[in-house]
Amino acid sequence: MSEAKPSYDAARIEPARQAAWAERGDYEAPRPAEGQPRIYVKPSSPFTSGNLHMGHVRDYSIGDAYARFRRARGDAVLFGFGFDAFGLPAELAAIERQVLPAEWVERCGDRMLGQMKRLGFSFDYDRVFYSSDEGQYRWSQWLFLALYEMGMIYRDDATVDWCDTCQTTLASIQVEEGGTCWRCHNEVRLIRRPTWFLKVTDHVEENDENLSGLDDWDELSLATQRYIIGRTEGVELDLRAPDGRGMTVFSPHRRALARARFVLLSPRHPEVESWVTDPAVGEELEGLRSGGWERSARDARSVPVIDTGETVLGPAGEELPVLVSPLVDARFGPTAALGIPDVDEADAEIAARVDRVGWQPPEGEREGGGEDPDSVPTPEVEGARETKRYRANDFSISRQRSWGTPIPVVNCDACGVVPVPEADLPVALPRDLMPSGEGNPLAERADFVEVECPSCGAAARRETDTLDCHFDALFLWVPSAVPPEARAEQMFTHPDLKQWLPAERLVAGNDSGGFVFDQRTVTKALRDHGEFAFMADGEPFAGCLFHEMVIADGRKMSKHLGNVVDPDELVERYGADTVRLAVLYAAGPAKTLNWSDGAVRFASRFLRNLWTYVQDRVAALPDAVHDPEAAADTEHMRDRLRKWCDNGLGRITEDTAELQMHKSVRNLTRLFERIQDFEKRVLKRRGQLDRADAEAQLAALALLARALVPFAPHAGEELLIALGQGEDALCSWPESADVPVKPESSATTS
Ligand SMILES: [Zn+2]
Ligand SMILES: [Zn+2]
């Protein structure tokens, strides 16, 4: 055989396979057959930044391998996503380039979709959407109104950065170090202004309790939920002021309650006003609220503390000063907590700062709080009840920016805040709005602002704040499950939702914990509201895999450091399959992937060697002769090869089902080594391969290629074609290693 065998050429085979998949309809979410398992694999929703980065490649390589694996096993698979397209980064990029944000977003999306297709990700591209599309944000507005009606959205004052020169509020990333404006470099100041908030506290307990039942969530994703929820176990008891007013206080130190020295109130405690009777203290509280509350317990030395001058009576009748500090929020949420400096380090810091508490660190202890509360016998306190507190806080959802979903309310002098009737949605964002970084361009558009009050008909003004893109993300996991043509009418009511939701698996970066927590909250709200009643536990994701980020040279990739790895360059040089294999192989999902050329060189070598090896063995088969005696002599070797294949397949199947793709890839490379080892042993024993050996080896290589398909789909399928396998082998997962051992089997087939 002197035929020239083509060497591995990703640039040739990859476009060809991608065309075949499109033809075959691989990408489309199928209509599931009766009784067929149906799964929705939800990857993360990218911002329309204009470029996939290596973190995306990692995310989608894991998700795509899983989607392909489940498809090959006979499940109906929906693998779809949409772009998170509103928000500041797109607005700033548009200002910089002097293009309309809508145009910029479209350009970026097109480019990113091109990159995804080039990498061979098998998304249902017909279902891709942009959160900034009118048909999409109409439903953000619908959701806003539904949550508003349920009391889960409210308006309150919040502190924001403000530039007097630019007449605009600034996001924190627009405030330079030293507190100056990114645009004009003048000093920025904090102002108070009305802001919309989403209430998460109603569902926080259920969100916490459900965690123990989420068996298909990996440890990283569960840990982030626990952290965000921030549960503290403890006790609560009812105290009274000398004048009879009551207050319920919490403490995690159930055995030390009798040693309380003060009470610390959250500035957001519902009854805080009633404990602030002195106008001077009221002013102080107002100032404190403007200063922001996001402080951690470690800041107990510097966190603001206000002495209200008020007193409540402790468990033993002792007088406890009532103090106010956002330290409570950072630890236990908007509650009241007993300050027990003897046993609590943060409380000791606070006590040392307030003279009226009159507390001194115990002898020999400078810091206080070091005492083990369980070692000191203290009197039982009557009336203490077991309870818990949660740190998770409501968060602001509105921004003074123009590239976002318009908030569907009207401000009327007579009626106050009036929701826009559902029939009048969407409140359209003018597509030709050009942000400048100065002022709020939306507020200057008379055609947008001036409106009749939906309630009384008088002249009124539209709300000109927009929703933060975090709000759009509350339901970014929903639209893929609805056919595009039905989204205008049935985004939350289409029958297919019951078929695909909850998503079988969310694959996302470990910085997505906040999004996921909020999505879990909103699912429960919509369950209570009726639309998602079929998800009884209110959980949008039955399974979840969080992966760590991709870094380079031990550091976060950044243009500044010059260590950004460009996926396009890698694909150009090595091909999509090599890049995908390298990303999967280099680290398990729970580990940070420190990118190095080692992984890509390893993957490249593996694919090239496998390619050449298969081509050579296929070409050599016609020359292999069958000799019954030789075949009998190597039967035990073929049997061992079959066992290796069986073992390898079992492991790869198990690891892939658990999304531990790094193990799958490692076992694929090991299986290849075993197959080569088989040949070496036969050659050593007999000098050549019998036809029975050659056929067993080709069967083993076909098995390897089939198991390779989810990870390196182009090369895997092309190898199967070279091995003479039919369409069925390309599209199905092997259930067992079909490696012929008995010489008879080969005698009958040759
Ligand atoms: Zn400025
Ligand atoms: Zn009105």
Side-chain angles (χ1 to χ4, degrees), residues 620-631 688-695 746 750:
L621 180 68
D623 299 334
V625 187
H626 181 50
D627 166 10
E629 193 204 312
Q688 62 179 355
L689 264 63
D690 185 80
R691 189 170 178 95
D693 300 323
E695 285 180 351
S746 67
S750 61

Side-chain angles (χ1 to χ4, degrees), residues 621 623-639 641-642 678 682 688-700 738-750:
L621 180 68
D623 299 334
V625 187
H626 181 50
D627 166 10
E629 193 204 312
D633 188 39
T634 52
E635 186 176 324
H636 68 287
M637 291 178 159
R638 291 193 298 280
D639 192 45
L641 176 65
R642 186 188 56 76
F678 162 78
V682 172
Q688 62 179 355
L689 264 63
D690 185 80
R691 189 170 178 95
D693 300 323
E695 285 180 351
Q697 188 188 32
L698 287 178
D738 210 4
V739 176
V741 174
K742 296 281 176 208
E744 292 83 25
S745 59
S746 67
T748 52
T749 52
S750 61

